[in-house]
Structure formats: C-alpha cells, structure tokens
Amino acid sequence: MRPTIKDVARDSGVSVATVSRIVNGLPGYSPETRKKVMKVIEDLGYKPNAVARNLVSRKTSTIGVLLPQLSSHFAAKLLQGIEDEAHNRRYSVVVCNTDSNGKRTQDYLELLREKQVEGILFASELLTDEYAETLQGFGIPAAVIATTSHVPSIPFIKVDDEAASYSAVQFLIENGHQRIGMISGTKHDPISGIPRIKGLKKAFSENGIPFEEELIEYGDFGFRSGYEAMERLYRSNPELTAVFAASDEMALGILSFCYEKGMKVPDDLSVIGYDDTDIATMSIPPLTTVHQPIQEMGTDAVRMLMKMIDGNQPESRFMAYRITKRNSVKNLT
Amino acid sequence: MRPTIKDVARDSGVSVATVSRIVNGLPGYSPETRKKVMKVIEDLGYKPNAVARNLVSRKTSTIGVLLPQLSSHFAAKLLQGIEDEAHNRRYSVVVCNTDSNGKRTQDYLELLREKQVEGILFASELLTDEYAETLQGFGIPAAVIATTSHVPSIPFIKVDDEAASYSAVQFLIENGHQRIGMISGTKHDPISGIPRIKGLKKAFSENGIPFEEELIEYGDFGFRSGYEAMERLYRSNPELTAVFAASDEMALGILSFCYEKGMKVPDDLSVIGYDDTDIATMSIPPLTTVHQPIQEMGTDAVRMLMKMIDGNQPESRFMAYRITKRNSVKNLT
DNA sequence: CTGAAAGCGCTAACAG
DNA sequence: CTGTTAGCGCTTTCAG
C-alpha cells in the first residue's frame, strides 16, 4: 500500500491539513513543522494521489485528442505539437484513434467526458452535427484542427484549403504550365477534397484555362492511391505538363509512377504536393509542396483550448500556408 | 453543475446504492425501479464520474507511454499499435514526449505515478539504471519496447538487432557483394548502434571479408544525417558496391545522395535499410530493408503489460524480423 | 500557526 | 429487493 497523506500526518505528528498545506506550498505552518513533515514525506516516499486531488478540485489537467489515425505522418506531427504545448501548460494528453469510425468516435467522446478531461481536440475529420451536438452537450471546451466547424462554440484552426490550392496551381501557371492535372483526395470530402478542387478551378478560370472533369482523378491521400490515380490520369491525359496532388504521399505516388514509366520529374512532368511533411524532403527529386504548419497548428490548438478552459471564447483561425519550393516543378518559361 | 449519482437517486426516489448497482449492472433491484431510474438517468443526462470511481476502485484503466519523439514514423506506428490494443482492453493511453531528456523523463514518470496509471511503457530509448530504479520504486508494471532492460521485473520487447543486422549484411553478401559499407546510428548507442555493427562484423568474418573502421560512418538515424554520412563514406570508400543503413530514413538519405551524384541505385550501388516504415515503399527505387514489426511490438507490449497488471510476470521477447525485398539491392552473381 | 470536520462522487459491505 | 453507512485520499473552510 502506498503511503497516503494520513500516514505522513500520523508519522510527523501533525494534521492532514498541515501536510496538505505544505505539499501544496500554501502558507500556514512554521519552518520547523515544514522541515519535520518534509522529512517524513521523504522517508515514506509519499506522493500525492492525483485522482483524489482531481476529485475535490474537479480538475484533471488532462485533455483528449481524437485522430482518425495515429500512424500517419500528419497525425504524428500534430501530436508532437499538441503534446509539447500541453506539457508546457502542465497538462497531460490522452490519445484516441477514431479510425474514422462513428461509433468508436462517440465511445471515445463518452469516455473522455467520464474521465473528466478539461478539453477535447478533434482533428482531421469532418465534425458531424452529431459529434458537435454531443460535444456541446458535454459543456467541455473543444476545438477542431485541420477541419471546419460551423458551431461557434467549437472553433477551428486550419489553413484555407481553397486559397492554398489556388496558390499551388497559380504557382504552376506562373511557371508556364497550362496543361495541369490534379489528384484529389476522397471525392466528396468537404474539408480537404472539394475546397482544393475549387481552388484549382479558380486559378484555371482566372488564367483562361478551360477546366474539364477528366483533369481530376481521386485518391485517398495515401501513397498507393496516388500512384494508381496517376496511372488513370496519365492514360486519359498524356499531354499534361504538371500535376497537383492533394497530399505529399500521393505526390510521391506520382513520382514512383513516373520513375517506372521512365518519365523524368520535373523535366517530363512537374509535380507539386500538399502538406510539406518530412517525406517531401526525402523524395527524389525533393518535392515542391504547399506547406502547412502542422505542428504549429497543434500547439495553437492547445493554446486555444486553454483560453476556453480559462473561460474565454477564442476565434477560429486560418493558419498561414506557403509554397515550399524544392525540385519537382520545372519552369517552362 | 453536472448531475451526480445523488441527483439521480433523489429524483427517482431511491438510494444512491441502488443507482450504483443499476449503473454497474450489478444485481439487486426490481425491473420497475431499474426502469424508473434509467429514465431519470436519461432525463438528467447523467454519466458516472470516472475520477470518483477510480478513487474508490484504485484503478484508472489508463497506461502511460514514454517516447523520445512523437513525430517520427517509428513512434507513430508504435503508438498506433499501443493505442489499438489498449482500446481493446478498455484502457486509455496518455502520451509523453521525453525528448530524450533525463529531467523531462523523470518528471513524466512522477506525473504518471501521481495520476495512478496502471502501467508504463517506455520506448526506443536506453532504460538507464536511474529510470529503472524509479520505475521499480513505483511498483507500477512497466515494460520497454525496442530497447533492452537488464531488470527482470521490467521485460523488454524488441527484435534482436545483432541478428537482424547480420541477416541484412548476409543478404548483401549472398547477392554477391564484398565491398560493403555501413551507415550506423549514433556512435555509442548500446541499443541500435553497437549491436548492429556487431552483426555486420560477424557476417564479414564468417565470409572472410576483412573489416576496417573506415567502412562505417555514423549518423543519427535521420534523413539528413544519412545523406551526409554517405557523402563521407563515398569519399573514403568510392569502390563500395553496397551500403547498409541502420534506418530507413538514412537509407533514403543515401538514395538522395546517389541521385545527386548521378549514381544509379541499385545498378551502381545497392542499399539496404532498417525498420521497414512506410517510407521504404515510397522511395525510388523502393527500398529493400530489414522489417521490424513495429505496430505489433506496440500491441504485444500492451498485452505484456496487461499480464503484469493481472499479477503475472511475462518474459522478455524478441520479435521476428525479416528482410523485405524490394528494388534497392542488385544481385551481382 | 494548526487541527477538526465536511465534503468531492462513487462503491461496497452490512443490515433489513 | 433496498437503504445506511463507511470510506477512497485529498482540499478547504472554520475555529482556535
């Protein structure tokens, strides 16, 4: 049995109240009793029980994070940012892998509530009305990352996908490309799918480039799907000089496809990705891509959550993006 | 104020004991009272407070995981395995990023103890005597992953680095290579550094290949360091036909170096990596590498921990490794 | 400066 | 079948 505050009190001949004060650095005891008590604490190896503490203080100093997957590079980077900032604020983070599963997500939400977490972060996935509702019912501060929310009490933090996508295509056009294709993510994804397509269309129309549906193929953001989508895209549009991929992984899929077909990147085909995860620096050639400050979104989201825990209502935020130029886009001009 | 068990008891005209029984599915009430109580629970939106529960049951159903970094692909994959299995067992996991910092690690250890986690997993980093000692002092079940432990009460789960390394080099030799170099990780790393070098030496000596110190360059397991180490290695050993890298990331660094120098992989140089993380499939050419069942190590570690929580003392375990053949090694024979 | 006592929300005997 | 009563380990008035 681990020693409790009672044991310390008994052994040092004081009341538990005094021990509590000493442990918590509150005033109200003489230097001598403090010394005496500290010694007993030391001897016994006493450590306060956070569970008991949390019960009376009604605070747990922990937040929960829901992610559709833990093994993606995006999730990893985000988690790094979240954990870092949480640790700075002396908060713990419990991770939940929703697997993009509604039931599982709801279960986790319940669980987090029962565990009395002080805040919930929900990332990279559509915040359904259902989720938003249960979250609001909880009355626990919550924010979403890399996804939107139309509920004002649940702010979001993300980059403006349409604008970023527009910039990427614009960048291609500025480099002299006119025959541009796209490998989008999941077809009707309202977060990372549709807006990015919209950005491309906007860039096309502003530059007088006609848009056709067959210029777009769909993947699932993963490497393999990028490779396969490129296969289809190339078959229907062999004359393309550049393609924009909605994720770095899919962009690498394109690179692999080109390699196998003997097409040189960027000489025969230019490729631009999206995310700027570590793999963008490790590819051959290094990938030009839309940079999202993933880790920073994590730390900022935690800051947001902390504001809410402190009783304020922060605004949703768009993070800055930029094009990180490496060597996968050729200048045709 | 969220409703408590008392509110439910009052509103349904029964005692808290009865409500508790109903909530926990214990026997001891008529179907009618159950129905009545359930209705009140529903109306009030009552959910049990896990903190209070944990206090009396002295169980928290949560484990803590310490990782030197969260954003690496290795960590991400491991976490995925850990969270999955923990969730199966209805356990929560709190993540801690030690940043390979001794102070920070000790702080986390204290924190986890205070939060009364039921088990601790420590990954990818040397378990110092100091850590082992505080862990043992806690009396909380603990296991280490991808690293060793000489403390019997803290079992490890890892692949046999020396044997795996030996296999990798043996594979190269079987493919006709004799002039083989290595890019190792951190120089005196007792876990992933020294044993892997030992494996290489063993393969060399068994095949009558003379070993020289200059055949090895050191990196830090990261991409950039792999590139730079290869630069040095190539300068001093331009006649190499194959290089063994102690991590996939460093292997990709080698690939990039070769690309820039106009050397074809595997035609001009064969490369074999270590880990078999996702990037090994995404490189050009796809990387032949030593497969470590990372995610599985995570799930198995949780199983181990659960056994310990149940009062048993599991044995340390070596996981199976294998060579995953892709296209970065040329057969010279 | 210090202690007694009343909880925090819940579980678990123990009576009835 | 159901209620009463002690706590779990700690914080926090309120007295003194």
Side-chain angles (χ1 to χ4, degrees):
Chain A
M1 209 56 242
R2 287 208 261 265
T4 74
I5 197 172
K6 266 186 195 162
D7 299 316
V8 177
R10 182 180 15 78
D11 286 17
S12 42
V14 301
S15 72
V16 295
T18 297
V19 177
S20 176
R21 290 190 190 101
I22 292 173
V23 169
N24 292 292
L26 298 175
Y29 42 82
S30 66
E32 300 86 66
T33 66
R34 184 194 136 84
K35 199 163 175 187
K36 187 174 54 180
V37 172
M38 287 305 277
K39 167 129 177 41
V40 175
I41 286 178
E42 184 71 23
D43 291 351
L44 255 38
Y46 167 77
K47 295 285 170 194
N49 178 327
V51 175
R53 258 183 181 172
N54 295 344
L55 181 59
V56 8
S57 68
R58 290 139 204 272
K59 309 211 305 90
T60 51
S61 294
T62 107
I63 61 175
V65 181
L66 301 184
L67 294 155
Q69 194 194 141
L70 297 181
S71 63
S72 75
H73 206 94
F74 189 93
K77 204 80 178 172
L78 196 59
L79 207 50
Q80 171 97 23
I82 291 171
E83 205 280 340
D84 253 34
E85 186 60 18
H87 183 252
N88 285 342
R89 314 268 183 149
R90 338 229 91 244
Y91 269 71
S92 297
V93 359
V94 0
V95 293
C96 305
N97 174 6
T98 69
D99 225 359
S100 295
N101 176 136
K103 171 87 171 68
R104 201 166 152 148
T105 303
Q106 289 285 1
D107 285 352
Y108 270 126
L109 254 20
E110 292 290 325
L111 183 75
L112 291 174
R113 176 193 162 158
E114 292 188 9
K115 292 217 167 174
Q116 315 291 121
V117 299
E118 293 180 40
I120 293 177
L121 250 24
F122 184 88
S124 309
E125 211 172 3
L126 183 64
L127 182 73
T128 64
D129 289 342
E130 201 182 359
Y131 298 158
E133 210 169 297
T134 88
L135 237 21
Q136 290 195 291
F138 287 180
I140 299 175
V144 301
I145 309 173
T147 183
T148 42
S149 155
H150 31 258
V151 187
S153 66
I154 304 177
F156 64 76
I157 183 159
K158 70 191 292 290
V159 334
D160 182 334
D161 285 83
E162 183 179 337
S165 165
Y166 169 83
S167 290
V169 178
Q170 192 66 38
F171 176 78
L172 256 16
I173 295 171
E174 281 163 11
N175 277 273
H177 293 93
Q178 292 278 321
R179 297 298 305 165
I180 299 168
M182 173 171 185
I183 294 190
S184 173
T186 324
K187 193 152 189 174
H188 299 294
D189 182 334
I191 308 300
S192 315
I194 297 169
R196 295 186 193 171
I197 291 176
K198 232 173 133 187
L200 169 123
K201 286 184 179 169
K202 184 170 168 229
F204 270 28
S205 86
E206 281 191 10
N207 290 275
I209 300 176
F211 174 78
E212 295 152 45
E213 283 300 341
E214 62 169 18
L215 254 22
I216 301 189
E217 280 294 341
Y218 301 84
D220 63 6
F221 298 104
F223 174 80
R224 193 70 220 158
S225 80
Y227 181 99
E228 287 162 3
M230 184 60 202
E231 212 162 16
R232 298 192 295 274
L233 189 65
Y234 183 66
R235 206 178 305 132
S236 51
N237 305 269
E239 76 295 353
L240 260 27
T241 64
V243 5
F244 167 39
S247 78
D248 286 346
E249 281 205 25
M250 292 197 297
L252 288 237
I254 298 174
L255 259 33
S256 286
F257 174 83
C258 291
Y259 170 73
E260 287 188 12
K261 289 291 170 257
M263 293 160 64
K264 289 287 230 182
V265 174
D267 297 322
D268 301 332
L269 185 78
S270 287
V271 176
I272 185 166
Y274 198 106
D275 283 342
D276 200 12
T277 49
D278 289 352
I279 57 171
T281 66
M282 309 193 295
S283 65
I284 294 176
L287 192 69
T288 291
T289 187
V290 176
H291 176 83
Q292 291 203 80
I294 306 175
Q295 192 168 333
E296 203 186 328
M297 290 188 345
T299 70
D300 276 27
V302 172
R303 293 203 183 109
M304 230 174 197
L305 209 52
M306 293 299 150
K307 278 194 191 129
M308 298 173 82
I309 291 175
D310 291 344
N312 304 306
Q313 183 57 47
E315 298 271 312
S316 287
R317 263 190 74 190
F318 280 112
M319 299 294 282
Y321 60 85
R322 63 165 188 275
I323 307 291
T324 297
K325 298 174 193 71
R326 283 192 273 256
N327 299 311
S328 61
V329 172
K330 185 180 184 184
N331 188 336
L332 261 31
T333 63
Chain B
M1 211 54 244
R2 284 209 264 263
T4 72
I5 198 171
K6 268 187 193 160
D7 299 316
V8 177
R10 183 180 13 78
D11 286 18
S12 43
V14 301
S15 72
V16 295
T18 298
V19 178
S20 175
R21 290 191 191 100
I22 293 173
V23 169
N24 292 292
L26 298 175
Y29 42 78
S30 67
E32 299 88 64
T33 65
R34 184 195 136 85
K35 199 164 176 185
K36 187 173 54 180
V37 171
M38 287 306 274
K39 168 132 177 41
V40 175
I41 286 179
E42 184 71 22
D43 292 350
L44 256 37
Y46 167 77
K47 295 284 172 196
N49 178 327
V51 175
R53 263 187 178 169
N54 295 344
L55 181 59
V56 8
S57 67
R58 292 140 205 268
K59 309 213 303 89
T60 52
S61 293
T62 107
I63 61 174
V65 181
L66 300 184
L67 294 155
Q69 193 194 143
L70 297 181
S71 62
S72 75
H73 206 93
F74 189 94
K77 204 81 179 172
L78 195 60
L79 206 50
Q80 171 97 23
I82 291 171
E83 205 281 341
D84 254 34
E85 185 62 16
H87 182 251
N88 285 343
R89 313 270 183 148
R90 338 230 92 242
Y91 268 70
S92 298
V93 1
V94 1
V95 293
C96 306
N97 174 5
T98 68
D99 226 358
S100 296
N101 175 135
K103 170 90 172 67
R104 203 165 152 148
T105 303
Q106 288 285 2
D107 284 353
Y108 271 125
L109 254 18
E110 291 291 324
L111 183 74
L112 291 174
R113 174 191 164 161
E114 291 188 9
K115 292 217 167 175
Q116 315 290 121
V117 299
E118 293 180 40
I120 293 177
L121 251 25
F122 184 89
S124 310
E125 213 172 0
L126 183 64
L127 181 74
T128 64
D129 288 342
E130 203 182 358
Y131 298 159
E133 209 169 298
T134 91
L135 237 21
Q136 290 196 291
F138 287 181
I140 298 176
V144 301
I145 309 172
T147 183
T148 42
S149 155
H150 31 258
V151 187
S153 66
I154 304 177
F156 64 77
I157 183 160
K158 70 190 294 289
V159 333
D160 182 334
D161 285 83
E162 182 178 338
S165 164
Y166 168 83
S167 291
V169 178
Q170 191 66 37
F171 176 77
L172 255 18
I173 295 171
E174 281 163 10
N175 277 272
H177 293 92
Q178 292 279 322
R179 297 298 305 165
I180 300 169
M182 172 171 186
I183 293 190
S184 172
T186 323
K187 194 152 189 174
H188 300 294
D189 182 333
I191 308 301
S192 315
I194 297 170
R196 295 186 193 170
I197 291 177
K198 233 174 131 186
L200 169 124
K201 286 184 180 168
K202 184 170 168 228
F204 271 27
S205 86
E206 282 191 9
N207 290 274
I209 300 176
F211 173 77
E212 295 152 46
E213 283 299 341
E214 62 170 20
L215 254 22
I216 301 189
E217 280 294 340
Y218 300 85
D220 63 6
F221 297 105
F223 175 79
R224 192 72 220 156
S225 80
Y227 181 98
E228 287 163 2
M230 185 58 202
E231 212 163 17
R232 297 192 296 274
L233 190 63
Y234 183 65
R235 204 179 307 133
S236 51
N237 304 270
E239 77 294 353
L240 259 27
T241 64
V243 177
F244 167 40
S247 78
D248 286 347
E249 282 206 25
M250 293 198 297
L252 290 234
I254 298 174
L255 260 32
S256 286
F257 173 83
C258 291
Y259 171 73
E260 287 187 13
K261 290 291 170 258
M263 293 160 64
K264 291 286 231 183
V265 174
D267 296 322
D268 300 332
L269 186 78
S270 287
V271 177
I272 185 166
Y274 198 106
D275 282 344
D276 201 12
T277 50
D278 289 352
I279 57 172
T281 67
M282 310 195 293
S283 65
I284 294 176
L287 192 69
T288 292
T289 187
V290 175
H291 176 84
Q292 291 203 79
I294 306 175
Q295 192 167 333
E296 203 186 329
M297 290 187 350
T299 69
D300 276 26
V302 171
R303 293 203 184 111
M304 229 173 196
L305 209 52
M306 293 299 151
K307 278 194 193 129
M308 297 173 81
I309 290 175
D310 291 344
N312 304 306
Q313 184 58 45
E315 298 271 312
S316 288
R317 262 190 75 190
F318 279 112
M319 299 293 283
Y321 60 86
R322 63 167 188 273
I323 307 290
T324 296
K325 298 174 193 71
R326 283 193 271 256
N327 298 311
S328 62
V329 172
K330 186 181 185 184
N331 188 335
L332 259 33
T333 62

